[in-house]
Amino acid sequence: MNIVVLGAGVIGVTSAYYLAKAGHTVTVIDRQPGPALETSFANAGEVSPGYSSPWAAPGVPMKALKWLFMKHAPLILHPTADAATWRWMLALLRNCTSERYKVNKGRMVRLAEYSRDRLADLRAETGIAYDERMQGTLQVFRTQKQLDAIAKDIEVLRADGVPFEVLDRAGCVAAEPGLAQAAERIVGGLRLPGDETGDCFKFTEALAELCRGMGVTFRFGVDIRGLKQAGGQRTGRVTAVETATGDVVGDLFIAALGSYTPALLGPLGLRLPIYPVKGYSITMAVMDEARAPVSTVMDETFKVAITRLGSRIRVGGMAEIAGFNRDLNDARRSTLLHSVGDLFAGAADTREVNFWTGLRPMTPDGTPIIGSTSCPNLYINAGHGTLGWTMACGSGAVLADLVNGRRPAIEAADLALSRYG
């Protein structure tokens, strides 16, 4: 089949790779001049299946109220009258129950574990390099209350057979020696030895080049204006993508535009509960190897991930509810610098800091939307939130199986848009 993939972030490019590998003719369209230049560009760098958790969790509403008054708050809410924002936030609150958290986390971990395995296979088959490290990740807790609260996560990890270690202060320092100078501020940690790290942008660029060698066509710098249908809304076949440079026809279409996917599919009568949650990162050169992180350290208090990427340190996190606003806010930069400076003082060269922001495509239950729609030749691969890098290869492999009429290696029915009714 001739398949058109809309979006060249890590999700779109991995989709193209697995579809091309299955023998399809693939065209990828993106408005940017190259791959992975939006949300995939400077994310936190984690490939962390075990930490794949929905933001909607018991206790989050009360925590959110407290965060409103924190100087270095992990969640920032901007007053808005936008109906889409309120619909999404209310849907998020409905998922803040123990029962829904367990279901949502279980399917997220299932997809993320599968994705990590597919990434390993891809790496072995192609030799792709992207500042990768396979040295686990460590979530550190500054209070006993935080440490005690991991019981619900450990229950899911055990159920899914995910290896983990609950560490005391000394264990955290043994795993990440750079934490020695901040040991008195840590009460313990949760380490997942099977997790990985790597530069998502480097990976996507390299994979796009491999895709070209497989015959995939990339059309960059092309604005997507809409989809044309034959037949009525919701059920009509898509006939072409309308772009600024003309129509692009195909047999099947994949919507992988992250936060912009709902706007593309809305005119077709398809409502996707995906919202752009703004995140930030800073990237700095390593200044002192002995003080630097070995892999990824997640600072639970500030919801910040500190990751080693080759000779650089990437610090990413926070959630800002601000619609499609992409302004860089100095207060968020300050929070990221505070977290890395507090845990790894002197590790990074803070004289030159690359400050970035991206819009994470979040669903209210935390799980991406992967699969078919009521339009018979239109599929979705979007809504991965903060976990696009973690779930990319698995999502692409699942999508290719569904397109080919094969049963995916993992349960995928609950990933489809139909779960929202």
Side-chain angles (χ1 to χ4, degrees):
M1 283 191 292
N2 291 315
I3 298 179
V4 181
V5 177
L6 306 175
V10 68
I11 299 300
V13 173
T14 50
S15 298
Y17 172 79
Y18 285 102
L19 290 167
K21 190 176 179 182
H24 298 289
T25 301
V26 182
T27 299
V28 181
I29 305 174
D30 196 282
R31 65 182 179 183
Q32 295 292 348
L37 290 177
E38 293 198 24
T39 305
S40 302
F41 181 70
N43 64 20
E46 308 162 70
V47 179
S48 301
Y51 292 128
S52 298
S53 300
W55 286 13
V60 163
M62 290 304 298
K63 288 180 182 179
L65 291 175
K66 295 178 182 178
W67 288 335
L68 292 177
F69 304 99
M70 284 176 59
K71 178 181 178 182
H72 297 294
L75 174 66
I76 305 98
L77 296 173
H78 292 277
T80 177
D82 177 53
T85 301
W86 288 106
R87 276 198 304 268
W88 183 84
M89 290 180 66
L90 288 171
L92 184 82
L93 290 173
R94 285 195 295 271
N95 278 277
C96 291
T97 66
S98 296
E99 182 179 356
R100 291 193 180 191
Y101 178 85
K102 186 175 181 179
V103 170
N104 295 337
K105 182 175 175 64
R107 64 187 176 196
M108 291 171 73
V109 170
R110 178 208 316 152
L111 176 59
E113 285 281 311
Y114 175 65
S115 187
R116 193 262 323 280
D117 294 343
R118 298 291 70 74
L119 174 60
D121 291 344
L122 192 157
R123 192 167 55 234
E125 291 169 7
T126 66
I128 193 169
Y130 48 93
D131 283 339
E132 69 278 6
R133 290 188 176 210
M134 283 66 76
Q135 294 173 259
T137 55
L138 173 66
Q139 185 178 16
V140 296
F141 306 107
R142 296 172 182 260
T143 69
Q144 189 62 42
K145 185 177 180 180
Q146 290 174 344
L147 184 59
D148 293 341
I150 65 174
K152 62 183 183 300
D153 290 328
I154 288 177
E155 182 182 349
V156 176
L157 294 175
R158 282 201 178 105
D160 289 332
V162 180
F164 68 90
E165 301 167 345
V166 178
L167 304 177
D168 59 13
R169 178 180 293 155
C172 290
V173 174
E176 285 283 355
L179 290 172
Q181 60 190 327
E184 72 279 1
R185 290 188 282 281
I186 299 169
V187 299
L190 175 63
R191 182 172 181 268
L192 301 181
D195 283 5
E196 303 181 5
T197 58
D199 189 320
C200 181
F201 171 68
K202 286 189 173 183
F203 171 85
T204 310
E205 264 202 326
L207 188 61
E209 193 57 38
L210 290 171
C211 285
R212 288 188 185 94
M214 299 165 69
V216 175
T217 299
F218 286 88
R219 297 185 59 178
F220 292 120
V222 176
D223 287 331
I224 297 167
R225 294 178 173 173
L227 297 175
K228 292 187 174 181
Q229 274 184 295
Q233 275 192 343
R234 296 183 185 272
T235 58
R237 288 182 63 84
V238 175
T239 58
V241 183
E242 183 182 358
T243 79
T245 58
D247 291 353
V248 179
V249 299
D251 300 315
L252 189 139
F253 300 83
I254 310 296
L257 290 170
S259 297
Y260 299 92
T261 310
L264 177 72
L265 302 190
L268 277 61
L270 300 174
R271 177 176 287 182
L272 278 65
I274 295 175
Y275 187 83
V277 176
K278 191 177 182 181
Y280 294 87
S281 77
I282 55 175
T283 307
M284 302 156 289
V286 172
M287 189 165 65
D288 187 335
E289 288 276 348
R291 294 171 180 258
V294 172
S295 187
T296 288
V297 173
M298 299 174 64
D299 187 341
E300 175 63 17
T301 296
F302 302 110
K303 305 295 183 183
V304 165
I306 305 166
T307 301
R308 179 69 175 273
L309 296 175
S311 61
R312 301 164 294 150
I313 295 175
R314 170 79 48 76
V315 188
M318 292 176 293
E320 189 170 333
I321 309 297
F324 286 89
N325 179 288
R326 294 176 63 91
D327 293 343
L328 288 168
N329 189 310
D330 281 340
R332 314 300 168 240
R333 182 178 184 272
S334 175
T335 296
L336 298 173
L337 285 169
H338 173 76
S339 178
V340 68
D342 197 45
L343 294 179
F344 295 98
D349 185 355
T350 57
R351 294 169 298 181
E352 292 189 24
V353 177
N354 292 320
F355 188 27
W356 172 88
T357 187
L359 302 176
R360 310 177 184 113
M362 298 285 295
T363 62
D365 57 17
T367 311
I369 300 171
I370 307 170
S372 62
T373 70
S374 54
C375 300
N377 65 333
L378 175 63
Y379 284 69
I380 301 169
N381 194 0
H384 295 74
T386 61
L387 298 167
W389 181 205
T390 293
M391 295 180 172
C393 289
S395 298
V398 165
L399 179 77
D401 284 338
L402 294 172
V403 166
N404 290 326
R406 294 196 300 258
R407 184 175 180 177
I410 61 169
E411 174 59 46
D414 55 358
L415 305 179
L417 177 61
S418 58
R419 74 176 184 268
Y420 295 110

